[in-house]
Each structure stands twice: as C-alpha cells, then as structure tokens.
Amino acid sequence: MGGSQSTRKLSVDNENAIQVSQEALDRIQAQLSAKQPEPASQPPPQYAPPPPMYDSSKRQEAAAEEAYWARRIENLKRAHEKINSGMIVEYQKTLKEANELFELVQADKIANKLPPCQEEKAKVLECYSTNPDKSLLCSVLVSEFNDCVCKSRIAAVTASS
C-alpha cells in the first residue's frame, strides 16, 4: 500500500486529426515565399484645411469668440501684472526691514565686542604706572572701575531677561 509507485499510461486516438502530405507543405511554402512584402508607397497623411465657413452667422460667432478670448487674455495679463507688482513691493519692503535688522544686530555686536568700562580701566592702569610704589593712591579709581563693572553686569542680566 503505497510502498511501490504505480505508473499509468494514457493514450488518446484522435480521429479528427488532419494529415498533410509533404507535397502539400512544399506548395504552401512556395506560395508564401513567392509573396514578398510590397514596400509601403502610401503618401504621408495630409491634413486638409478646415472647410470655409459659408454662413456669415458662423463667421460672426467665431469672431465674437476670438474677441472674447483676446479680452480674457488681456484681463489675465493685467491681473498678473498687478499681482507681480504687489509682490515686488512686498519683497522690497521685506528686504529693507531685513537689512535694517541686520544692521542693528551688527551694530550691537560691535558695541558688545568691546568690554565695558574701558575708560575707567585705562585710568586705573595709568595711575598704577605713574605710582608703582604707591598703589593705595589709585584706590578711588579702582572703586570707580569696580562700580562700572557691577553696573554693566546688572545691565547685561536685565537685558537678557
């Protein structure tokens, strides 16, 4: 039971099969080879112009339609020019504002590049260089420099808040 394979053979007899002799095949092939494809000598298709309009009402209708589309195109061109000019004005305005903001930022960066209290610092250094052995004579200038530094720190903190 299932231990060996069974083989089945099936044969079908077709009584309707057509048999063609070799002689008939040779004649068919000779006829096919005798017929050679003819070159396409057809002229390319030409498009005829539209038929003339004999009716005057159709001519008037076509002229009115042409005028309508010409007006419509002109109106669209004018609308486009208005929109374009408005965009140019807005672009110039925005560019001007951006340049002003950029200039403010650049000026602020330049102002912030220098450390605060440069004048007071210069006075203190000058006092120390003129009085190398008497540093207590410069205590008033040092106090002013210290006050300036404290004020600039407070200003920086309040500006960033």
Side-chain angles (χ1 to χ4, degrees):
M1 264 217 169
S4 66
Q5 293 183 355
S6 65
T7 58
R8 294 183 184 176
K9 292 184 181 180
L10 180 65
S11 64
V12 177
D13 292 330
N14 191 355
E15 296 175 2
N16 296 331
I18 299 173
Q19 300 225 350
V20 180
S21 67
Q22 187 63 36
E23 184 180 304
L25 283 174
D26 292 339
R27 274 186 286 148
I28 293 172
Q29 286 181 347
Q31 286 178 355
L32 289 175
S33 62
K35 289 184 178 179
Q36 294 180 358
E38 297 178 13
S41 62
Q42 296 177 352
Q46 295 179 355
Y47 298 102
M53 289 189 247
Y54 296 106
D55 193 3
S56 64
S57 66
K58 287 187 179 182
R59 286 184 193 163
Q60 288 174 352
E61 203 175 286
E65 191 171 329
E66 187 72 28
Y68 166 76
W69 285 109
R71 282 192 311 272
R72 180 109 188 251
I73 289 172
E74 286 301 316
N75 289 340
L76 288 173
K77 282 181 182 178
R78 277 190 243 121
H80 176 70
E81 287 173 3
K82 278 184 182 179
I83 291 170
N84 199 20
S85 65
M87 287 176 59
I88 290 172
V89 168
E90 286 297 318
Y91 174 76
Q92 295 295 333
K93 182 180 169 185
T94 304
L95 184 64
K96 182 180 176 185
E97 289 175 4
N99 285 334
E100 288 173 358
L101 287 173
F102 184 71
E103 289 171 4
L104 285 174
V105 168
Q106 290 295 346
D108 190 42
K109 283 183 179 178
I110 291 171
N112 288 337
K113 281 185 180 178
L114 296 174
C117 309
Q118 289 298 307
E119 293 177 14
E120 289 80 359
K121 179 181 174 182
K123 288 178 186 177
V124 169
L125 291 175
E126 182 182 339
C127 182
Y128 280 141
S129 64
T130 55
N131 302 310
D133 295 333
K134 302 175 185 174
S135 60
L136 287 177
L137 292 175
C138 303
S139 64
V140 174
L141 294 174
V142 170
S143 177
E144 289 175 4
F145 176 68
N146 191 27
D147 290 342
C148 180
V149 169
C150 287
K151 287 178 185 176
S152 66
R153 283 183 182 166
I154 292 171
V157 168
T158 55
S160 66
S161 302

